[in-house]
Amino acid sequence: MSGQQDRKFIVQAGGQLTGSFRVPGDKSISHRSIMLGSLAEGVTEISGFLEGEDALATLAAFRAMGVKIDGPTDGKVTVHGVGMHGLKAPENDVYVGNSGTSIRLLSGLLTGQTFDVTMSGDKSLSVRPMRRVTDPLALMGANIDSADGKPPLTIHGGHTLKAIEYDLPMASAQVKSCLLLAGMYAEGTTSVTEPAPTRDHTERMLQGMGYPIDVQGNRISIQGGGKLTATNIDVPGDISSATFFMVGAAIAPGSDITLQHVGINPTRIGVINILKQMGADISLSNEAVTGGEPVADIRVRYAPLTGIDIPQDQVPLAIDEFPAIFIAAACAEGRTVLTGAEELRVKESDRIQVMADGLQALGIDAKPTSDGMIIEGGIIGSGEVDGHGDHRIAMSFAMAALQAGGAIQINDCANVATSFPNFVELATHCGLQIDAFDV
Ligand code: S3P
């Protein structure tokens, strides 16, 4: 949110989720479709584009750098690519709002340009760590000013970049992607080794647009000086947005929902694996591959959940889904323990602290730890929680109302529009008793 009106949700207790519908397009893939479409030679037609504030911030940034982009109209966007060296200096600073993906991926891409760009964001983005991208980019020869490792960032163009071999200190697709995008402009072959697999949408889209990538286990290499060829991109539904409905259906007796055409990239399906291990009734159908990304319809029917120790190898594969998974854990029988998820502390909010505070306010025994949470399943009470301007916190607590003893009020919800602009309408449509109020 940047000085716009704030929102609060009031969600009445009880109910169930039913129906078959599509959630908005994948946020990560939508960002990348604009970035790579802009640098490609030719015209990229995108369908299923997420018309949320984050992806629109990326779209606006490329328009400001001289790329002709038509739409979005009903999820359709046409990007008239300018080629690897066709971007122009924007007239003004680039504002990316709440979007960590925009600022971190663009940092890499902009180090390869001949002009300077300053990028800034909202209150939440302005306190998020950027050294994780500026440090390795500096090793490549980039010149970037930051506010003590935080946005705004000024990327000074016109520097020759040299390839590096980099061991990522944390599992982060944003940092990996940033370096691969910079690597396209570097002399030599840039290699990034990740400590655990993270979402690989950048690699898949680069390959889909004809830019060779070498993947050997956890090591991804890219040679500078290549080019991208425009293609058509069908953006699948976002599994991170589908998650709220999956959890809602998993906790509310009588629920039966089908989420159509959702991306089930193996690097994103931690939530399915974790919920299934807790006992959720989840089945996939209509499996297909579209534009290099696997998709399926996901059906979730209510079934009682049991607490688990969440396997650490699932953490990077479910990193955005933990706020909702914590709600499932609160409704499960017994204890759920999450460890190895310290990255949650530097998301759009500190998702460990903020979720623990909210769960405790609703009467759940939730203990935050440095890298996770211990949750005893129990009875969710009525109450008021703070969304902390974090879309996923707000939508998670909205679903908690399905199993609550009374209404839940969630404050500071305007940022739901960053990833899921029609959340309230869709949730209402399938049975959540939710009202949104501008405040
Ligand atoms: C994203 C990567 C993840 C994720 C974010 C989107 C991406 O961030 O949390 O919502 O599109 O690459 P990290 O790289 O910080 O884990």
Side-chain angles (χ1 to χ4, degrees), residues 119-188:
M119 290 184 286
S120 64
D122 71 1
K123 202 167 121 228
S124 151
L125 191 72
S126 301
V127 295
R128 293 187 66 190
M130 295 298 143
R131 287 211 171 93
R132 52 182 58 201
V133 290
T134 58
D135 283 353
L137 288 173
L139 295 175
M140 296 178 81
N143 179 353
I144 302 176
D145 300 327
S146 74
D148 201 19
K150 311 267 158 64
L153 299 182
T154 299
I155 319 284
H156 297 283
H159 293 268
T160 305
L161 298 182
K162 54 182 185 305
I164 54 167
E165 303 242 340
Y166 194 68
D167 285 341
L168 286 178
M170 73 291 289
S172 166
Q174 290 179 352
V175 181
K176 170 179 67 174
S177 301
C178 164
L179 299 179
L180 293 176
L181 295 177
M184 297 196 296
Y185 291 94
E187 288 170 0

Side-chain angles (χ1 to χ4, degrees), residues 27-29 31-32 101 104-105 128 132 171-175 177 199 201 319-320 343 347-348 351 392:
K27 185 153 73 74
S28 295
I29 299 175
H31 280 295
R32 287 154 172 84
T101 307
R104 293 201 179 113
L105 270 61
R128 293 187 66 190
R132 52 182 58 201
S172 166
Q174 290 179 352
V175 181
S177 301
R199 66 192 68 195
H201 306 300
I319 196 66
D320 287 341
E343 277 294 303
K347 294 293 177 189
E348 287 85 326
R351 288 182 174 161
R392 304 204 194 281

Side-chain angles (χ1 to χ4, degrees), residues 42 101 226 234 268 294 322 355 400 439:
T101 307
D234 167 31
R268 297 285 298 279
F322 284 107
M355 284 303 299
V439 289

